[in-house]
Amino acid sequence: MDIVLEMQGVCKTFYGDGVIVKANDQVNFNLKKGEIHALLGENGAGKSTLVGTLFRKPDSGIIRLNGKEVELNDPITALNYGLGIARQDLTKSLIERHTIAENILSISKGFFLSLTEIENEIIKVLNMYDLGELDPKVRIWKLSGGEKQRVEILKALISDPDILILDEPTSMLTPTEIDNLFKLLNKLKARGKSIILISHHLEEAVNYSDRITILRQGKVVDTIDTHKAKENWKSEEEGIRAIANLMVGRESLYDLYREPLKPVNVAIEIKGINAKNEMGDEVVRGVGLKLMDNQIVGLAGISGNGQAELVEAMLNLRKADSGEVWIRGMNITNKSIRAIKNLGVAYVPEVRRKALILDLSVRENLLLNSYQYSPTPMIENDNNALITEELIDRFNIKTPSPLVPVRTLSGGNRQKVVVAREFSVIPPDGAGLILIVENPTFGLDVGTTQFVREELLKMRAAGAAILLVSSDLTEILTLSDVISVMYKGRIMGTVDSEDATRENIGLLMGGVELEEVFS
Amino acid sequence: MAEIINPVLGQSIVAAATFFLIPTLGEIYTERSGILNLGIEGMIIASAAGSYAITFLTQNLWVGIIFGIFLGGILATIHAVITITFNRNQIVSGIGLTIFGTGLSGFLGRDVIGKAVNGLDKIELPILYDLPVIGPIFFNHTILVYLSYILVPVLWFILYKTRVGILIRTVGENPSAAFNQGVNVRLIRYLCTIFGGMCAGLGGAYLSLSWLNFWSEGMTNGKGWIVIALVVVSLWNPLGALFGSYLFGSFDVLQFSFQQIGIDTSILKMMPYLSTMTFLALWAIILSQQKVKSIVGAPTALATPFED
């Protein structure tokens, strides 16, 4: 097969916050005509940076397209050479206030803008590739996360590129939509297009790619032929594990053991909660949940189906229009967040900015919960230093000193700071901790992910009642005792973990009724 | 109402409104591209002095007017270099520009204070002037007023119906998205900022050569700042600018009518600024609604530098 894209000795360095990051270090990569080439690696391994150098030239290195050396200085040159990209960060890619048609500029020509022409083209491409229904006249802010992701893919496809780059295209799609996407990719492949796929879902790479290149700390670890490798792997799991080990560089994934525990006490119960989002739309509709000590309840669902609003309504960070929240037999509806947290409630929000003050030190961030318990108005530094050292040690936070600002830490270590603070909350009167965690491993590397999950299981064994809100199905399935699935603001069904499979939870996440799934 | 229909009063409202309208149209384009230029007041007053002085020297009105436009463009270029090329704070740069422009106006106009120059003549438009009521109000003005009538629909059309327009709006909403699709973000921001400066310059020339036809130091009375508020009131839309400018033009003129009732003049002089604040407060309440915000409102990337 011909090589359409060849990258040789690509280097890219970022300077910032006093650290120098070699995001790409002498990377060699090639793409054959008509293949799906998966690019894998942990967060910060340099995947997005590598494809980014195709749209902004690298610090050094050679890029050849069809054997000819080219200089791709800016996105427009790359577009003209037939490269299309669907980016990961949609906030930097889509304009919320504009319609879908207005977002797609690459095919508009001339002085006058014929939106009708673009709209027709959009519908043509949607039909051609079976991308599903999208109304070109709808504004982006009205779309769900999955729909936005489809718009981004459409934007890349519409200029009919020879090389299509998809950066985490499936993070907000339902399992059915993911299936459709890969059918589409196979169709493109058959038409001679070449595809670079970046994903952190390793099973997608194992199942659909032709070759896999693995990056670690900016360097290429290995490029493997998926079809050949599959003959050696006994199962999908073994393949995933082999790749994960290459990504991390050591044996990293081992099975988490969830010891059987019998939950007795009801820790928190919510009844018929309704809540609105900022737009004033009702996004939580009559949700009821029950959480017991020694139990992890997984709240599954594609992000944006009301999970965030539900948690906020539970903690009175958002007004609940109706419904009640009971903690250990006490009605805490509309009590202040302080009063709720004093009952032994800990909260790890998905958005880390909401949990950390980036310019304060690691120590100050670790103590945010405890200042109010200080007996004097003064800060007791000796005692604080002791507590902090202990937490840094126990949660293995990598920081040069407890006094450096949290801003200087990596994403994984920032999350460890939050986890350390919240997991060490001590509930009153020896009661079990109530722990609410939202996508606790989002954006973390394999090692930290494993660490956080282990800690969750340890907390469970220690008697905590845990609500795990996650859009990562693997995480939900490995950790939860009971799984509730949320779709468009309501609970589609609650399934015991023994009965739950990737398939049936996936269907519920896509809005299929419980009776149909289990019939 | 009878007073507004009074042709003389109506005419002076149109004349006052045009002074607000032309710079507002320019600043709308600037802000739509994501650049906030608080130097409007400085550009207007410098151009008012500059164009008056040049006209006095050359005895040619058009050379003066073109100089005014040119000067506004040059001053805006300073702002553009600071904020677009060097990504510096737009608010500080804009305020600096106003202070500089005010000083420059004193320098340019020092020899022509109290000197008379023949300003632009009013032209009665044939046929249109004979229309009942509106004819004498709208169609007995200088050519710059007629130009503003044309600018409003043309600039609206460009912003909403052409490729250039959507590029400008995209750059102001999300410069990274625009850049990723191959748009030259900096170029568009430069052009829009300079266009805004040229409009402010034209507004200055209109002030000293058409509307009031004299030059005295500090003659804008800080009215240039009202333009900044007008851009908000007009919801960043050229058609809205028409509405806002005429509304504020009315406040500006009608204050003199209240004098007859016996309200103190110093209170009346506060009217335009007081109404500005009232409107901004009103708009702030409406625009803070999330649902409204996702449809209209300040360009999302307004006043944020673009670092690619």
Side-chain angles (χ1 to χ4, degrees), chain B residues 106-121:
Chain B
F107 168 73
L108 291 172
R110 75 198 148 150
D111 292 333
V112 287
I113 298 172
K115 302 254 169 72
V117 161
N118 276 335
L120 283 169
D121 292 322

Side-chain angles (χ1 to χ4, degrees), chain B residues 72 85 91 115 192 229 232 245 257:
Chain B
T85 304
I91 291 167
K115 302 254 169 72
C192 285
V232 180
S245 302
S257 317

Side-chain angles (χ1 to χ4, degrees), chain B residues 74-229:
Chain B
I74 291 287
L75 290 175
T77 311
I78 300 175
H79 184 65
V81 171
I82 293 171
T83 61
I84 304 170
T85 304
F86 296 114
N87 284 335
R88 293 301 100 195
N89 188 308
Q90 301 185 2
I91 291 167
V92 176
S93 164
I95 290 175
L97 193 59
T98 287
I99 297 169
F100 172 58
T102 311
L104 188 65
S105 75
F107 168 73
L108 291 172
R110 75 198 148 150
D111 292 333
V112 287
I113 298 172
K115 302 254 169 72
V117 161
N118 276 335
L120 283 169
D121 292 322
K122 289 183 179 174
I123 307 163
E124 288 179 11
L125 284 190
I127 308 168
L128 288 170
Y129 180 74
D130 298 327
L131 288 172
V133 191
I134 59 162
I137 294 179
F138 289 99
F139 301 109
N140 182 18
H141 286 285
T142 64
I143 190 158
L144 292 184
V145 176
Y146 299 135
L147 177 68
S148 78
Y149 295 168
I150 301 167
L151 272 177
V152 172
V154 168
L155 290 179
W156 175 84
F157 183 83
I158 291 177
L159 197 56
Y160 286 97
K161 298 290 169 194
T162 68
R163 204 174 112 80
V164 179
I166 197 157
L167 293 185
I168 292 172
R169 286 188 288 138
T170 304
V171 164
E173 284 293 324
N174 193 337
S176 312
F179 181 77
N180 286 341
Q181 289 204 65
V183 179
N184 191 336
V185 173
R186 291 216 156 90
L187 177 71
I188 286 188
R189 288 191 159 182
Y190 255 94
L191 293 179
C192 285
T193 307
I194 292 169
F195 176 72
M198 287 162 68
C199 285
L202 183 59
Y206 171 79
L207 176 70
S208 63
L209 292 172
S210 168
W211 183 24
L212 299 179
N213 199 12
F214 66 88
W215 163 252
S216 76
E217 218 163 301
M219 73 188 291
T220 54
N221 274 327
K223 284 200 190 95
W225 290 104
I226 292 182
V227 168
I228 312 278

Side-chain angles (χ1 to χ4, degrees), chain A residues 71 123 187 375 457:
Chain A
E71 266 200 35
I123 290 169
K187 241 186 261 177
L457 288 175

Side-chain angles (χ1 to χ4, degrees), chain A residues 75-76 79 87 91-95 97 102-103 105-106 108-113 141 155 278-279 281, chain B residues 157 161-163 166 169-170 173-174 176-177 179-182 290-291 293-299 308:
Chain A
I76 189 75
L79 282 172
R87 288 176 195 267
T91 59
K92 283 190 174 169
S93 200
L94 296 176
I95 298 133
R97 269 194 201 136
E102 285 174 319
N103 262 281
L105 299 169
S106 50
S108 66
K109 294 208 168 54
F111 175 73
F112 294 100
L113 181 76
W141 62 268
K155 217 167 89 182
E278 281 78 11
M279 295 287 187
D281 302 325
Chain B
F157 183 83
K161 298 290 169 194
T162 68
R163 204 174 112 80
I166 197 157
R169 286 188 288 138
T170 304
E173 284 293 324
N174 193 337
S176 312
F179 181 77
N180 286 341
Q181 289 204 65
Q290 190 69 33
K291 212 151 209 164
K293 229 196 270 178
S294 50
I295 301 166
V296 287
D308 43 1

Side-chain angles (χ1 to χ4, degrees), chain A residues 40-45 47 88 168 199-202 244 247-248 250 252-253 348-353 356 395-397 409-420 423 437-456 468 470 472 475 479:
Chain A
L40 303 178
E42 292 190 277
N43 276 40
K47 299 161 292 184
Q88 179 185 18
E168 301 279 9
S199 177
H200 63 250
H201 294 289
L202 303 186
M247 280 165 56
V248 188
R250 63 192 140 84
S252 62
L253 280 187
V348 179
E350 175 180 349
V351 186
R352 266 151 232 166
R353 296 188 271 110
L356 292 169
F395 287 91
N396 196 14
I397 301 166
L409 302 192
S410 70
N413 280 304
R414 287 183 192 181
Q415 180 71 339
K416 279 185 180 174
V417 173
V418 182
V419 166
F423 284 25
V437 290
E438 281 180 299
N439 286 316
T441 61
F442 183 78
L444 300 187
D445 58 40
V446 178
T448 319
T449 299
Q450 186 87 4
F451 173 82
V452 171
R453 289 179 183 168
E454 266 171 10
E455 284 299 321
L456 278 171
L468 169 68
S470 178
D472 184 340
E475 180 162 277
L479 295 178

